[in-house]
Amino acid sequence: MPIDLRTHDPSDDIHIDPSTNKAAIIQLLYTNPNYGFTPSEIHDQLDDIPKGSITGTLTRLFNDGDIGKTADGYYHALKSRDDLRRFARGLVQVRDLTVRYDDDFSPADIEQTDESSPSGAQSEIRQDSSANDEPTPEDWIESTDDSEQA
């Protein structure tokens, strides 16, 4: 997709693979911006990530300026990083959609468009036979004769 170079700021781009531990930690911290977490608490929330990976990823995120850390060891989202907040919200939206529609479609989830639809989603379109007729050239031209306007 093309970008507007007059307003493009390359520092706004987030280049994080959504399937990584880094993305999971950013999602946790930036969807809970008023809370600080210890590495153990993050591990409890993200139990599918090994504790050693969490510690290493937190260190890299902190050193890169993506997250903050209190003096007593609590990691948290930074108020100044709206780009990461938007990224985290996007991850949550994608997760919610995939959880909702993960091969568990039911007929109620899919819009019914056939005439046998119980909800009547598709209405019959009635066609006037004159509506399908091609207009004649006389119909295309409006009259400019003053005698016809009276």
Side-chain angles (χ1 to χ4, degrees):
M1 174 196 258
I3 57 169
D4 186 347
L5 294 176
R6 296 169 292 181
T7 59
H8 177 65
D9 181 3
S11 64
D12 284 346
D13 295 337
I14 301 294
H15 300 288
I16 300 172
D17 182 347
S19 64
T20 62
N21 296 344
K22 186 176 184 178
I25 291 171
I26 285 175
Q27 178 183 339
L28 174 66
L29 296 179
Y30 279 89
T31 55
N32 296 286
N34 295 325
Y35 296 97
F37 295 88
T38 64
S40 290
E41 292 168 335
I42 292 172
H43 175 66
D44 291 343
Q45 295 287 322
L46 306 172
D47 59 357
D48 55 335
I49 301 174
K51 193 169 190 169
S53 293
I54 288 177
T55 305
T57 304
L58 286 170
T59 300
R60 283 190 301 279
L61 287 168
F62 177 71
N63 290 339
D64 291 344
D66 293 333
I67 62 173
K69 181 180 176 184
T70 63
D72 52 351
Y74 288 90
Y75 291 91
H76 59 87
L78 296 173
K79 291 181 182 180
S80 62
R81 295 300 304 265
D82 288 333
D83 56 342
L84 290 174
R85 190 175 287 65
R86 286 188 304 270
F87 176 75
R89 271 197 310 255
L91 291 175
V92 169
Q93 291 170 343
V94 168
R95 183 202 62 214
D96 290 349
L97 286 172
T98 56
V99 165
R100 181 176 179 186
Y101 294 111
D102 189 21
D103 296 329
D104 291 329
F105 286 110
S106 70
D109 294 327
I110 301 171
E111 182 180 349
Q112 301 292 321
T113 58
D114 63 349
E115 288 183 21
S116 63
S117 167
S119 64
Q122 181 182 17
S123 62
E124 183 179 328
I125 299 173
R126 301 186 191 274
Q127 295 184 350
D128 182 6
S129 62
S130 63
N132 291 332
D133 294 339
E134 182 87 18
T136 63
E138 292 80 26
D139 294 335
W140 297 345
I141 303 171
E142 292 184 25
S143 174
T144 57
D145 184 7
D146 291 339
S147 64
E148 291 182 17
Q149 293 178 358

